[in-house]
Amino acid sequence: MLSKNIENSLNNQIRIEAESSQIYLSMASWAETHGLEGISKFMYAQSDEERMHMLKLMKFINERGGHAQVSELKAPKISYGTFKEMFEELYKHEIFVSVSINELVHIAFSEKDYATHNFLQWYVAEQIEEEAQAKIILDKINLIGDDKGGLYLFDRDVQQLTLNGSTSKGH
Ligand code: OFO
């Protein structure tokens, strides 16, 4: 059985994962309307993945006698300036999510809820992966600079990340 405090904290994480999914969906649409097909596919896949993170939390809460709640979400931005700014935002957002997951791990540990603590380890590993991926993408963007040909290749590269399954691991 989950304590009320842990149930509320997990429900808060459900909202964060749902908002992440909406943010990446909005980024996907922005990229799609700017001819960045590969980046757009990557963002659509990323959005699906965040929804899966949300669902995994919902199942866990309900299986442990709590009530997973679907709440109102903050609307994401509609436009993102340049694709570089967009990926900088993605990176910052992932760091924000990691901080939130760490906080949850801390709460579970201090309440000696080792089942929740164990469950959260999957998210800890996932955040390491997502932060690393965002960092690699940003490093590539910095290499390209203003080179249009570079952007074309980069767009294809990012699509490749999606096709290779790094954003659709199907956990
Ligand atoms: Fe849910 O992993 Fe990104 O935010």
Side-chain angles (χ1 to χ4, degrees):
M1 191 73 186
L2 293 170
S3 76
K4 209 58 203 157
N5 184 33
I6 291 191
E7 182 180 353
N8 290 344
S9 307
L10 290 170
N11 265 316
N12 184 52
Q13 192 63 31
I14 286 183
R15 187 184 45 74
I16 291 176
E17 300 293 342
E19 283 177 352
S20 303
S21 179
Q22 295 297 88
I23 291 170
Y24 298 150
L25 194 58
S26 185
M27 288 180 174
S29 179
W30 181 84
E32 198 161 46
T33 57
H34 285 74
L36 301 165
E37 202 191 323
I39 294 173
S40 162
K41 286 201 173 120
F42 171 85
M43 290 298 182
Y44 278 120
Q46 202 68 27
S47 171
D48 283 348
E49 196 164 310
E50 297 301 346
R51 181 177 156 81
M52 184 273 295
H53 297 172
M54 176 198 73
L55 289 172
K56 207 175 160 79
L57 279 158
M58 294 184 84
K59 291 279 170 206
F60 180 76
I61 295 176
N62 289 344
E63 272 164 15
R64 296 205 51 219
H67 179 193
Q69 286 165 27
V70 176
S71 60
E72 191 176 9
L73 305 178
K74 199 159 84 198
K77 280 185 12 188
I78 291 169
S79 76
Y80 290 91
T82 64
F83 78 100
K84 180 179 173 180
E85 283 166 23
M86 184 175 77
F87 276 104
E88 279 168 352
E89 261 188 56
L90 179 141
Y91 184 50
K92 266 201 256 154
H93 185 74
E94 285 305 329
I95 290 174
F96 160 76
V97 175
S98 297
V99 169
S100 168
I101 296 287
N102 282 346
E103 185 55 31
L104 265 175
V105 171
H106 175 74
I107 295 169
F109 191 77
S110 45
E111 287 199 20
K112 298 197 173 113
D113 181 345
Y114 298 116
T116 300
H117 188 270
N118 185 49
F119 167 76
L120 289 170
Q121 296 314 304
W122 183 87
Y123 287 84
V124 172
E126 183 69 13
Q127 283 312 118
I128 293 172
E129 213 176 285
E130 292 207 346
E131 271 188 42
Q133 176 169 268
K135 186 73 180 54
I136 289 169
I137 292 174
L138 273 182
D139 287 346
K140 282 195 185 201
I141 292 174
N142 286 325
L143 277 177
I144 301 167
D146 291 330
D147 177 14
K148 288 264 185 268
L151 173 56
Y152 176 74
L153 291 174
F154 170 77
D155 187 55
R156 282 197 354 203
D157 253 26
V158 171
Q159 175 160 357
Q160 215 41 49
L161 278 178
T162 320
L163 295 177
N164 289 343
S166 79
T167 60
S168 54
K169 295 176 288 290
H171 317 276

